[in-house]
Amino acid sequence: MSAKWSIFAPIFVPMMYMAGGFGPAMTQLFYRIGDSATNCFTPVMPYLWISLKDAQDKYDPNVKVGTFVSNLFLIGMILLVVWILFLIGWLMLGLPIGPA
């Protein structure tokens, strides 16, 4: 996933710096939080299809991609909330983000 960040970083880092003075470390943190929450149900994730086949073999042979992804969407949104709460707690403790 670092290849995706190397494409987006030249856009996101200056944009976030101009928008609110967020440094590169905070910008990457925002990106990683959003990216990790959606990786579990994106169709381009190769393990989605392996997990779907495993769910069909073990639990329900009639489960299709839409049903499987809609169930994973809830997990992704819960993960997003947990990551945001963790970030808020980290900032409230005054812990540093990045090398600065």
Side-chain angles (χ1 to χ4, degrees), residues 29-81:
L29 182 63
F30 291 153
Y31 171 77
R32 296 288 180 190
I33 287 174
D35 189 47
S36 70
T38 58
N39 275 340
C40 67
F41 59 84
T42 183
V44 295
M45 183 187 77
Y47 303 114
L48 177 74
W49 308 105
I50 295 169
S51 300
L52 175 63
K53 181 63 176 151
D54 195 41
Q56 288 172 339
D57 290 343
K58 289 184 180 178
Y59 303 108
D60 184 8
N62 297 323
V63 69
K64 303 290 185 218
V65 177
T67 305
F68 192 66
V69 169
S70 67
N71 289 327
L72 288 176
F73 182 78
L74 178 62
I75 294 170
M77 292 305 102
I78 291 170
L79 181 63
L80 180 64
V81 169

Side-chain angles (χ1 to χ4, degrees), residues 80-97:
L80 180 64
V81 169
V82 169
W83 273 126
I84 291 172
L85 290 175
F86 183 72
L87 174 62
I88 291 169
W90 190 273
L91 293 174
M92 289 178 71
L93 288 173
L95 297 170
I97 295 178

Side-chain angles (χ1 to χ4, degrees), residues 5 13 17 22-29:
W5 173 247
V13 171
Y17 187 74
F22 299 108
M26 184 64 85
T27 303
Q28 185 174 19
L29 182 63

